[in-house]
Amino acid sequence: MSLVDVHRHIEAHRDDDLELLKKLVAQPSVSARNMGVRECTELLRSLLTELGCDTVAICPTDGQPIVFAERKSKKAGAKTILFYGHYDTQPPDPVEEWITPPFEPTVRDGRLYGLGAADNKGQFLAHLLAVRSWLATEDDVPVNVKFILDGEEESGSPNMRAFVETHKDMLMADLVYNSDGPMNAGDFPEIKLGFRGDLSMEFELTTATHQNHSKTGQLIPNPAIELCQLVASMIDRDGHVLIDGFYDDELPPTAYERELMDGYAFEPKTLARVYGVKKLLKTAKEAYYTQLMFRPTFTINGMSSGYCGPGHKTCVPRSALMKLDVRLVKNMDPEKVLEKIPRHAAAFDPEIVVRAGKAMYPSKSDAEQPLCQAAIAAARSVYPNAVVHPSSGGSNPDYVWTGIMKMPSVTVPYGNADQTNHSPNENLRLDCFHKGIHVSAAVIGRIGEI
C-alpha cells in the first residue's frame, strides 16, 4: 500500500473536502440547548455510510446520542484505531458579535468561519476523510477503524463513562486517537498523552441569621475571614498544599518524560504576557512544566460574601461562599481527595458545609509505547516541530479510554492557535484542516505497519 498515493488523493480533493466541512458546520448541534442535535446525527450517519463503514449506529444515552461507526480492514491481524471526536458545539452567544452568522460557514482570508468549524467538526472530519482517501486509492484501510462521536463533550461528557462501561467489546481498540483544541502559537501541535483530572467543590459557612453592624467585629464570627483562614491552612504562600495526604499518590516524571521536557521552549516573560500577569510563580523550565503536567493544583475559583456593591457598607456578613477546583494528576483518585479536603475543613470548623461538584479522573499513556511512538512519528512527518507533552494541564474525559478500557490514547490538535473556539467568529484555517487530513492518513499508515 502506498501512503504517497493517499497523500496525492487528499491534495486532489481539497475543494470537495471544504464543501463537506461547510455542510457539517451549517448543521447546528448545540448540545446544551438540544438545538439541531438529532439532525446532526442523521447527517453523520449519512456521511459515515457513504464513507463505506460496515457499521453505523446512533446510540442513545441518558443525554445526547453517541454516533458509532466501524470499517474493518481486509488485512489479517490488523491493529484497530478508535478515532474519538465530538459533534456538539457550545451555544453561539453573543450572536451579535459574529461577523457572519454562526451557522453560515464563510471562507475569509484562508479560514472557514462558523460555529464548530475547529471545535470539533473540522478536526474529527479530518479522520473520516483520511479513511476515505485510503479506501479510494487502495480499496482498503491497513487498520480496523472505529469512530465514536460524542454529543455532550461541551457539557463535560456526563454519559460517556456509562456508555463505555456498557459497550466495552464494541469499543475495544489498540489505540485511541483524538484531535481537539488548538496548536501552539508556533503553528505546530503539542501532542498530548494524558490529561489532568478535575474535582470541583464549594465551601459555605453561615454564622448569623442576618448581617450585623461592623462594630461587632471581633465580637462575633466573620464567615468571610474564617473561610480565608481555612484556605490559609490548606495552602502556603509557595503554593504547597498542606492538606494531610494530598500528594500521597502523585507520580514523578520518568527519565524519558524529563528528557522530553528538556526539549521544550520556555520563555517566562512571554508566558506572563499571555496570562496577563507580571510574572510566573515558576520561572525555571523544569519547575514550570513539572507543575503543569505532573503536579496537582488547588485553586480558588471565586468568593462571595457580604456587600460588594458601589460605595461601602460597614457590616459583618452573615455567610460566605467559596468555590474551588483541584486538578488531579495520574494515579490520584478524586474520591480519595474528596475525603481528605472535607476532613481538613471539618477539623478547622465543623460548621463549614462542603459540597462536591463534578469529578473527572486523570489519564496518562506511556509515551514510549510503540503505538504512541508510531502516532507521534506520523504527526512529525507533517509537522516536524511537533512536541510531546506527557500530560495536558487541562482536563478531558480521556480517562474512559486509559482507565476503564486500559487502552493507550494520543491527542494531536489540528486547529490553529487563534481559532477562538467557544467564542464568536470561531474559525479553522484551511491549511490546518488539510494538513490534519494528511496527519490522520499517516497515523493510519504507521499503525498499519506494526
Side-chain angles (χ1 to χ4, degrees), residues 317-376:
R318 64 175 294 271
S319 64
L321 178 68
M322 181 179 290
K323 294 180 179 288
L324 67 142
D325 82 312
V326 176
R327 298 281 170 169
L328 309 166
V329 292
K330 176 64 177 176
N331 210 44
M332 291 183 73
D333 185 335
E335 294 183 8
K336 289 184 180 180
V337 176
L338 191 54
E339 294 174 0
K340 296 169 184 176
I341 295 176
R343 185 165 58 237
H344 183 106
F348 183 87
D349 185 343
E351 296 298 317
I352 295 173
V353 176
V354 180
R355 287 185 286 267
K358 64 174 184 175
M360 186 178 291
Y361 283 75
S363 67
K364 188 99 173 293
S365 296
D366 180 2
E368 298 181 89
Q369 205 264 9
L371 293 171
C372 294
Q373 285 289 306
I376 293 166

Short mmCIF file of all heavy atoms in Angstrom, two decimals, residues 317-376:
data_model
loop_
_atom_site.label_atom_id
_atom_site.label_comp_id
_atom_site.label_asym_id
_atom_site.label_seq_id
_atom_site.Cartn_x
_atom_site.Cartn_y
_atom_site.Cartn_z
N PRO A 317 -20.66 40.12 57.44
CA PRO A 317 -21.52 39.24 56.64
C PRO A 317 -22.13 38.14 57.49
O PRO A 317 -21.55 37.70 58.49
CB PRO A 317 -20.57 38.65 55.60
CG PRO A 317 -19.39 39.56 55.58
CD PRO A 317 -19.26 40.09 56.97
N ARG A 318 -23.30 37.66 57.04
CA ARG A 318 -23.94 36.53 57.73
C ARG A 318 -23.42 35.20 57.19
O ARG A 318 -23.47 34.18 57.88
CB ARG A 318 -25.46 36.58 57.58
CG ARG A 318 -25.97 36.44 56.15
CD ARG A 318 -27.49 36.38 56.09
NE ARG A 318 -28.00 35.19 56.73
CZ ARG A 318 -28.18 34.03 56.09
NH1 ARG A 318 -27.85 33.91 54.80
NH2 ARG A 318 -28.66 32.98 56.73
N SER A 319 -22.93 35.20 55.92
CA SER A 319 -22.47 33.95 55.31
C SER A 319 -21.38 34.25 54.29
O SER A 319 -21.19 35.40 53.87
CB SER A 319 -23.62 33.21 54.64
OG SER A 319 -24.15 33.97 53.57
N ALA A 320 -20.69 33.23 53.90
CA ALA A 320 -19.64 33.35 52.88
C ALA A 320 -19.60 32.06 52.05
O ALA A 320 -19.85 30.97 52.57
CB ALA A 320 -18.28 33.59 53.53
N LEU A 321 -19.31 32.22 50.76
CA LEU A 321 -19.25 31.10 49.83
C LEU A 321 -17.95 31.15 49.06
O LEU A 321 -17.53 32.22 48.60
CB LEU A 321 -20.43 31.15 48.85
CG LEU A 321 -20.48 30.06 47.77
CD1 LEU A 321 -20.77 28.70 48.40
CD2 LEU A 321 -21.53 30.40 46.72
N MET A 322 -17.31 30.00 48.93
CA MET A 322 -16.05 29.92 48.20
C MET A 322 -16.10 28.71 47.27
O MET A 322 -16.51 27.62 47.68
CB MET A 322 -14.88 29.78 49.18
CG MET A 322 -13.52 29.71 48.54
SD MET A 322 -12.22 29.58 49.80
CE MET A 322 -12.31 31.22 50.52
N LYS A 323 -15.72 28.92 46.01
CA LYS A 323 -15.67 27.83 45.02
C LYS A 323 -14.21 27.53 44.69
O LYS A 323 -13.39 28.45 44.57
CB LYS A 323 -16.45 28.21 43.76
CG LYS A 323 -17.95 28.38 43.99
CD LYS A 323 -18.67 28.75 42.71
CE LYS A 323 -20.17 28.89 42.94
NZ LYS A 323 -20.82 27.59 43.15
N LEU A 324 -13.90 26.26 44.52
CA LEU A 324 -12.53 25.86 44.22
C LEU A 324 -12.51 24.64 43.32
O LEU A 324 -13.53 23.94 43.17
CB LEU A 324 -11.76 25.55 45.50
CG LEU A 324 -12.20 24.32 46.29
CD1 LEU A 324 -10.99 23.60 46.87
CD2 LEU A 324 -13.14 24.73 47.42
N ASP A 325 -11.37 24.40 42.70
CA ASP A 325 -11.21 23.14 41.99
C ASP A 325 -9.79 22.62 42.20
O ASP A 325 -8.86 23.38 42.50
CB ASP A 325 -11.55 23.28 40.50
CG ASP A 325 -10.42 23.86 39.67
OD1 ASP A 325 -9.83 24.88 40.07
OD2 ASP A 325 -10.12 23.30 38.61
N VAL A 326 -9.67 21.31 42.06
CA VAL A 326 -8.39 20.61 42.20
C VAL A 326 -8.14 19.87 40.90
O VAL A 326 -8.99 19.09 40.45
CB VAL A 326 -8.42 19.61 43.38
CG1 VAL A 326 -7.12 18.82 43.44
CG2 VAL A 326 -8.67 20.35 44.68
N ARG A 327 -7.02 20.14 40.27
CA ARG A 327 -6.61 19.37 39.09
C ARG A 327 -5.76 18.20 39.55
O ARG A 327 -4.78 18.37 40.28
CB ARG A 327 -5.82 20.25 38.12
CG ARG A 327 -6.60 21.43 37.58
CD ARG A 327 -7.55 21.04 36.46
NE ARG A 327 -8.45 22.14 36.12
CZ ARG A 327 -9.24 22.16 35.06
NH1 ARG A 327 -9.24 21.12 34.24
NH2 ARG A 327 -10.03 23.17 34.83
N LEU A 328 -6.15 17.01 39.12
CA LEU A 328 -5.53 15.78 39.61
C LEU A 328 -4.60 15.18 38.57
O LEU A 328 -4.91 15.20 37.37
CB LEU A 328 -6.63 14.76 39.94
CG LEU A 328 -7.76 15.26 40.86
CD1 LEU A 328 -8.92 14.29 40.84
CD2 LEU A 328 -7.24 15.43 42.27
N VAL A 329 -3.49 14.64 39.01
CA VAL A 329 -2.57 14.00 38.08
C VAL A 329 -2.71 12.49 38.18
O VAL A 329 -3.36 11.95 39.07
CB VAL A 329 -1.11 14.42 38.37
CG1 VAL A 329 -0.92 15.90 38.04
CG2 VAL A 329 -0.72 14.15 39.81
N LYS A 330 -2.09 11.81 37.21
CA LYS A 330 -2.18 10.36 37.12
C LYS A 330 -1.94 9.68 38.46
O LYS A 330 -1.03 10.05 39.20
CB LYS A 330 -1.15 9.86 36.08
CG LYS A 330 -1.07 8.35 35.93
CD LYS A 330 -2.37 7.76 35.40
CE LYS A 330 -2.23 6.25 35.19
NZ LYS A 330 -3.51 5.65 34.76
N ASN A 331 -2.77 8.71 38.77
CA ASN A 331 -2.71 7.90 39.99
C ASN A 331 -3.47 8.53 41.15
O ASN A 331 -3.59 7.91 42.20
CB ASN A 331 -1.26 7.62 40.42
CG ASN A 331 -1.13 6.29 41.16
OD1 ASN A 331 -1.71 5.30 40.73
ND2 ASN A 331 -0.38 6.27 42.25
N MET A 332 -3.97 9.75 40.97
CA MET A 332 -4.78 10.38 42.02
C MET A 332 -6.26 10.07 41.77
O MET A 332 -6.76 10.22 40.65
CB MET A 332 -4.56 11.90 42.05
CG MET A 332 -3.18 12.31 42.51
SD MET A 332 -2.98 14.12 42.62
CE MET A 332 -3.95 14.49 44.09
N ASP A 333 -6.93 9.64 42.82
CA ASP A 333 -8.34 9.26 42.75
C ASP A 333 -9.18 10.41 43.32
O ASP A 333 -9.01 10.78 44.48
CB ASP A 333 -8.55 7.99 43.57
CG ASP A 333 -9.96 7.43 43.46
OD1 ASP A 333 -10.89 8.21 43.17
OD2 ASP A 333 -10.14 6.22 43.67
N PRO A 334 -10.09 10.99 42.52
CA PRO A 334 -10.89 12.10 43.05
C PRO A 334 -11.71 11.74 44.28
O PRO A 334 -11.95 12.59 45.14
CB PRO A 334 -11.79 12.49 41.87
CG PRO A 334 -11.71 11.37 40.89
CD PRO A 334 -10.40 10.71 41.11
N GLU A 335 -12.10 10.48 44.40
CA GLU A 335 -12.88 10.07 45.57
C GLU A 335 -12.02 10.13 46.84
O GLU A 335 -12.51 10.49 47.92
CB GLU A 335 -13.45 8.67 45.36
CG GLU A 335 -14.49 8.62 44.23
CD GLU A 335 -15.10 7.25 44.07
OE1 GLU A 335 -14.83 6.37 44.91
OE2 GLU A 335 -15.84 7.05 43.09
N LYS A 336 -10.75 9.77 46.72
CA LYS A 336 -9.86 9.85 47.88
C LYS A 336 -9.60 11.31 48.27
O LYS A 336 -9.57 11.65 49.45
CB LYS A 336 -8.53 9.14 47.58
CG LYS A 336 -8.63 7.62 47.50
CD LYS A 336 -7.25 7.02 47.28
CE LYS A 336 -7.31 5.51 47.21
NZ LYS A 336 -5.96 4.92 46.99
N VAL A 337 -9.38 12.14 47.25
CA VAL A 337 -9.15 13.56 47.52
C VAL A 337 -10.38 14.18 48.17
O VAL A 337 -10.30 15.02 49.06
CB VAL A 337 -8.79 14.30 46.21
CG1 VAL A 337 -8.63 15.79 46.47
CG2 VAL A 337 -7.50 13.74 45.62
N LEU A 338 -11.55 13.71 47.72
CA LEU A 338 -12.81 14.23 48.25
C LEU A 338 -13.00 13.85 49.72
O LEU A 338 -13.75 14.50 50.44
CB LEU A 338 -13.97 13.68 47.42
CG LEU A 338 -15.34 14.31 47.64
CD1 LEU A 338 -15.27 15.82 47.49
CD2 LEU A 338 -16.35 13.74 46.67
N GLU A 339 -12.30 12.84 50.19
CA GLU A 339 -12.34 12.50 51.61
C GLU A 339 -11.41 13.41 52.41
O GLU A 339 -11.72 13.83 53.53
CB GLU A 339 -11.91 11.04 51.82
CG GLU A 339 -12.88 10.02 51.23
CD GLU A 339 -12.32 8.61 51.33
OE1 GLU A 339 -11.19 8.46 51.85
OE2 GLU A 339 -13.00 7.67 50.88
N LYS A 340 -10.26 13.75 51.83
CA LYS A 340 -9.22 14.49 52.56
C LYS A 340 -9.59 15.96 52.78
O LYS A 340 -9.36 16.51 53.85
CB LYS A 340 -7.90 14.38 51.81
CG LYS A 340 -7.36 12.96 51.73
CD LYS A 340 -6.20 12.83 50.76
CE LYS A 340 -5.75 11.38 50.64
NZ LYS A 340 -4.68 11.19 49.64
N ILE A 341 -10.17 16.59 51.75
CA ILE A 341 -10.47 18.02 51.86
C ILE A 341 -11.58 18.30 52.87
O ILE A 341 -11.42 19.15 53.76
CB ILE A 341 -10.78 18.63 50.48
CG1 ILE A 341 -9.53 18.56 49.60
CG2 ILE A 341 -11.27 20.06 50.60
CD1 ILE A 341 -9.73 19.04 48.18
N PRO A 342 -12.73 17.60 52.82
CA PRO A 342 -13.76 17.85 53.84
C PRO A 342 -13.28 17.51 55.25
O PRO A 342 -13.70 18.16 56.22
CB PRO A 342 -14.91 16.93 53.40
CG PRO A 342 -14.71 16.73 51.94
CD PRO A 342 -13.22 16.71 51.76
N ARG A 343 -12.41 16.49 55.37
CA ARG A 343 -11.89 16.14 56.69
C ARG A 343 -11.08 17.30 57.26
O ARG A 343 -11.18 17.63 58.45
CB ARG A 343 -11.05 14.86 56.58
CG ARG A 343 -10.55 14.35 57.92
CD ARG A 343 -10.04 12.92 57.83
NE ARG A 343 -8.97 12.76 56.88
CZ ARG A 343 -9.00 11.91 55.86
NH1 ARG A 343 -10.07 11.15 55.64
NH2 ARG A 343 -7.98 11.82 55.03
N HIS A 344 -10.28 17.93 56.39
CA HIS A 344 -9.49 19.08 56.82
C HIS A 344 -10.42 20.23 57.22
O HIS A 344 -10.21 20.89 58.25
CB HIS A 344 -8.56 19.51 55.69
CG HIS A 344 -7.65 20.64 56.05
ND1 HIS A 344 -6.31 20.47 56.29
CD2 HIS A 344 -7.89 21.97 56.22
CE1 HIS A 344 -5.75 21.63 56.59
NE2 HIS A 344 -6.69 22.57 56.54
N ALA A 345 -11.44 20.48 56.39
CA ALA A 345 -12.37 21.58 56.67
C ALA A 345 -13.13 21.34 57.98
O ALA A 345 -13.33 22.26 58.77
CB ALA A 345 -13.34 21.75 55.51
N ALA A 346 -13.54 20.09 58.20
CA ALA A 346 -14.30 19.77 59.42
C ALA A 346 -13.44 19.94 60.67
O ALA A 346 -13.92 20.38 61.72
CB ALA A 346 -14.84 18.35 59.34
N ALA A 347 -12.15 19.62 60.55
CA ALA A 347 -11.25 19.79 61.69
C ALA A 347 -11.04 21.27 62.00
O ALA A 347 -10.86 21.66 63.16
CB ALA A 347 -9.91 19.11 61.42
N PHE A 348 -11.09 22.09 60.95
CA PHE A 348 -10.92 23.54 61.15
C PHE A 348 -12.17 24.15 61.77
O PHE A 348 -12.11 24.93 62.71
CB PHE A 348 -10.61 24.19 59.79
CG PHE A 348 -10.34 25.67 59.87
CD1 PHE A 348 -9.07 26.14 60.13
CD2 PHE A 348 -11.38 26.58 59.70
CE1 PHE A 348 -8.82 27.50 60.21
CE2 PHE A 348 -11.14 27.94 59.79
CZ PHE A 348 -9.86 28.41 60.04
N ASP A 349 -13.35 23.80 61.21
CA ASP A 349 -14.63 24.29 61.72
C ASP A 349 -15.72 23.35 61.24
O ASP A 349 -16.04 23.33 60.04
CB ASP A 349 -14.90 25.72 61.23
CG ASP A 349 -16.18 26.30 61.84
OD1 ASP A 349 -17.01 25.53 62.36
OD2 ASP A 349 -16.35 27.54 61.77
N PRO A 350 -16.32 22.57 62.13
CA PRO A 350 -17.34 21.60 61.72
C PRO A 350 -18.60 22.25 61.13
O PRO A 350 -19.42 21.55 60.54
CB PRO A 350 -17.66 20.84 63.00
CG PRO A 350 -17.19 21.72 64.11
CD PRO A 350 -16.04 22.50 63.57
N GLU A 351 -18.75 23.57 61.28
CA GLU A 351 -19.92 24.25 60.73
C GLU A 351 -19.78 24.54 59.23
O GLU A 351 -20.77 24.90 58.58
CB GLU A 351 -20.15 25.57 61.49
CG GLU A 351 -20.49 25.40 62.96
CD GLU A 351 -21.79 24.61 63.15
OE1 GLU A 351 -22.76 24.88 62.43
OE2 GLU A 351 -21.79 23.71 64.02
N ILE A 352 -18.59 24.39 58.69
CA ILE A 352 -18.39 24.65 57.26
C ILE A 352 -19.04 23.53 56.45
O ILE A 352 -18.76 22.35 56.66
CB ILE A 352 -16.89 24.76 56.92
CG1 ILE A 352 -16.28 25.97 57.62
CG2 ILE A 352 -16.67 24.85 55.41
CD1 ILE A 352 -14.78 26.07 57.49
N VAL A 353 -19.89 23.91 55.52
CA VAL A 353 -20.56 22.95 54.65
C VAL A 353 -19.70 22.77 53.39
O VAL A 353 -19.35 23.76 52.73
CB VAL A 353 -21.97 23.43 54.27
CG1 VAL A 353 -22.61 22.46 53.28
CG2 VAL A 353 -22.83 23.59 55.51
N VAL A 354 -19.36 21.53 53.08
CA VAL A 354 -18.56 21.23 51.90
C VAL A 354 -19.44 20.49 50.90
O VAL A 354 -20.04 19.46 51.23
CB VAL A 354 -17.32 20.39 52.25
CG1 VAL A 354 -16.51 20.08 51.00
CG2 VAL A 354 -16.46 21.10 53.29
N ARG A 355 -19.52 21.02 49.68
CA ARG A 355 -20.31 20.36 48.64
C ARG A 355 -19.39 20.02 47.47
O ARG A 355 -18.61 20.86 47.02
CB ARG A 355 -21.44 21.28 48.16
CG ARG A 355 -22.58 21.41 49.17
CD ARG A 355 -23.72 22.23 48.59
NE ARG A 355 -23.38 23.64 48.56
CZ ARG A 355 -23.67 24.50 49.53
NH1 ARG A 355 -24.30 24.08 50.63
NH2 ARG A 355 -23.33 25.77 49.43
N ALA A 356 -19.51 18.79 47.00
CA ALA A 356 -18.70 18.35 45.87
C ALA A 356 -19.48 18.54 44.57
O ALA A 356 -20.68 18.30 44.51
CB ALA A 356 -18.33 16.88 46.03
N GLY A 357 -18.77 18.98 43.54
CA GLY A 357 -19.37 19.11 42.22
C GLY A 357 -18.91 17.98 41.33
O GLY A 357 -18.74 16.84 41.77
N LYS A 358 -18.67 18.29 40.06
CA LYS A 358 -18.26 17.26 39.11
C LYS A 358 -16.86 16.75 39.43
O LYS A 358 -16.02 17.46 39.98
CB LYS A 358 -18.31 17.81 37.69
CG LYS A 358 -17.31 18.93 37.44
CD LYS A 358 -17.29 19.33 35.99
CE LYS A 358 -16.20 20.39 35.74
NZ LYS A 358 -16.04 20.73 34.34
N ALA A 359 -16.61 15.50 39.06
CA ALA A 359 -15.29 14.91 39.24
C ALA A 359 -14.90 14.20 37.95
O ALA A 359 -15.72 13.54 37.32
CB ALA A 359 -15.28 13.92 40.40
N MET A 360 -13.66 14.37 37.54
CA MET A 360 -13.14 13.72 36.35
C MET A 360 -11.79 13.11 36.68
O MET A 360 -10.93 13.76 37.27
CB MET A 360 -13.00 14.73 35.21
CG MET A 360 -12.61 14.11 33.88
SD MET A 360 -12.51 15.37 32.55
CE MET A 360 -14.24 15.79 32.38
N TYR A 361 -11.60 11.85 36.32
CA TYR A 361 -10.36 11.15 36.61
C TYR A 361 -9.25 11.60 35.65
O TYR A 361 -9.51 11.95 34.50
CB TYR A 361 -10.55 9.64 36.49
CG TYR A 361 -11.25 9.01 37.65
CD1 TYR A 361 -12.63 9.16 37.82
CD2 TYR A 361 -10.55 8.29 38.61
CE1 TYR A 361 -13.28 8.58 38.91
CE2 TYR A 361 -11.19 7.71 39.69
CZ TYR A 361 -12.56 7.86 39.83
OH TYR A 361 -13.21 7.30 40.90
N PRO A 362 -8.00 11.56 36.11
CA PRO A 362 -6.88 11.87 35.21
C PRO A 362 -6.60 10.70 34.27
O PRO A 362 -7.06 9.57 34.51
CB PRO A 362 -5.71 12.08 36.18
CG PRO A 362 -6.05 11.24 37.37
CD PRO A 362 -7.55 11.28 37.48
N SER A 363 -5.86 10.98 33.21
CA SER A 363 -5.48 9.92 32.26
C SER A 363 -4.01 10.08 31.92
O SER A 363 -3.43 11.16 32.04
CB SER A 363 -6.30 10.03 30.97
OG SER A 363 -5.98 11.20 30.25
N LYS A 364 -3.40 8.98 31.48
CA LYS A 364 -1.99 9.02 31.10
C LYS A 364 -1.66 7.78 30.29
O LYS A 364 -2.02 6.67 30.65
CB LYS A 364 -1.11 9.05 32.36
CG LYS A 364 0.37 9.28 32.09
CD LYS A 364 0.74 10.74 32.32
CE LYS A 364 2.24 10.95 32.22
NZ LYS A 364 2.97 10.30 33.31
N SER A 365 -0.96 7.97 29.17
CA SER A 365 -0.48 6.87 28.35
C SER A 365 1.04 6.90 28.33
O SER A 365 1.66 7.97 28.46
CB SER A 365 -1.03 6.98 26.92
OG SER A 365 -2.44 6.86 26.91
N ASP A 366 1.63 5.75 28.14
CA ASP A 366 3.09 5.61 28.14
C ASP A 366 3.65 6.19 26.84
O ASP A 366 3.38 5.69 25.75
CB ASP A 366 3.46 4.14 28.27
CG ASP A 366 4.96 3.89 28.29
OD1 ASP A 366 5.73 4.88 28.25
OD2 ASP A 366 5.37 2.72 28.33
N ALA A 367 4.44 7.25 26.96
CA ALA A 367 4.99 7.91 25.78
C ALA A 367 5.91 7.01 24.97
O ALA A 367 6.11 7.22 23.77
CB ALA A 367 5.75 9.17 26.20
N GLU A 368 6.46 5.98 25.62
CA GLU A 368 7.39 5.09 24.93
C GLU A 368 6.70 3.86 24.34
O GLU A 368 7.37 3.04 23.70
CB GLU A 368 8.50 4.66 25.90
CG GLU A 368 9.34 5.81 26.41
CD GLU A 368 10.45 5.38 27.34
OE1 GLU A 368 11.55 5.07 26.85
OE2 GLU A 368 10.21 5.33 28.57
N GLN A 369 5.41 3.74 24.53
CA GLN A 369 4.67 2.61 23.98
C GLN A 369 4.73 2.66 22.44
O GLN A 369 4.59 3.74 21.85
CB GLN A 369 3.20 2.69 24.46
CG GLN A 369 2.48 1.38 24.50
CD GLN A 369 1.67 1.14 23.22
OE1 GLN A 369 1.78 1.89 22.28
NE2 GLN A 369 0.87 0.10 23.25
N PRO A 370 4.97 1.52 21.75
CA PRO A 370 5.18 1.54 20.29
C PRO A 370 4.06 2.20 19.49
O PRO A 370 4.34 2.94 18.53
CB PRO A 370 5.32 0.06 19.94
CG PRO A 370 5.85 -0.57 21.18
CD PRO A 370 5.21 0.18 22.32
N LEU A 371 2.80 1.98 19.87
CA LEU A 371 1.71 2.60 19.12
C LEU A 371 1.70 4.11 19.32
O LEU A 371 1.41 4.87 18.38
CB LEU A 371 0.37 1.99 19.55
CG LEU A 371 0.16 0.52 19.18
CD1 LEU A 371 -1.09 -0.03 19.83
CD2 LEU A 371 0.08 0.36 17.67
N CYS A 372 2.00 4.56 20.52
CA CYS A 372 2.10 6.00 20.77
C CYS A 372 3.26 6.59 19.97
O CYS A 372 3.14 7.67 19.37
CB CYS A 372 2.29 6.28 22.25
SG CYS A 372 0.88 5.84 23.29
N GLN A 373 4.38 5.89 19.95
CA GLN A 373 5.52 6.36 19.18
C GLN A 373 5.21 6.43 17.68
O GLN A 373 5.64 7.35 16.98
CB GLN A 373 6.72 5.44 19.42
CG GLN A 373 7.40 5.63 20.77
CD GLN A 373 8.16 6.94 20.85
OE1 GLN A 373 9.00 7.24 20.02
NE2 GLN A 373 7.85 7.73 21.88
N ALA A 374 4.42 5.48 17.18
CA ALA A 374 4.03 5.49 15.76
C ALA A 374 3.16 6.70 15.45
O ALA A 374 3.32 7.35 14.42
CB ALA A 374 3.30 4.20 15.41
N ALA A 375 2.22 7.01 16.34
CA ALA A 375 1.35 8.17 16.13
C ALA A 375 2.17 9.46 16.18
O ALA A 375 1.93 10.39 15.40
CB ALA A 375 0.25 8.19 17.18
N ILE A 376 3.13 9.53 17.11
CA ILE A 376 4.00 10.70 17.21
C ILE A 376 4.81 10.88 15.92
O ILE A 376 4.92 11.98 15.38
CB ILE A 376 4.93 10.58 18.43
CG1 ILE A 376 4.12 10.65 19.73
CG2 ILE A 376 6.02 11.65 18.40
CD1 ILE A 376 4.90 10.21 20.97
#
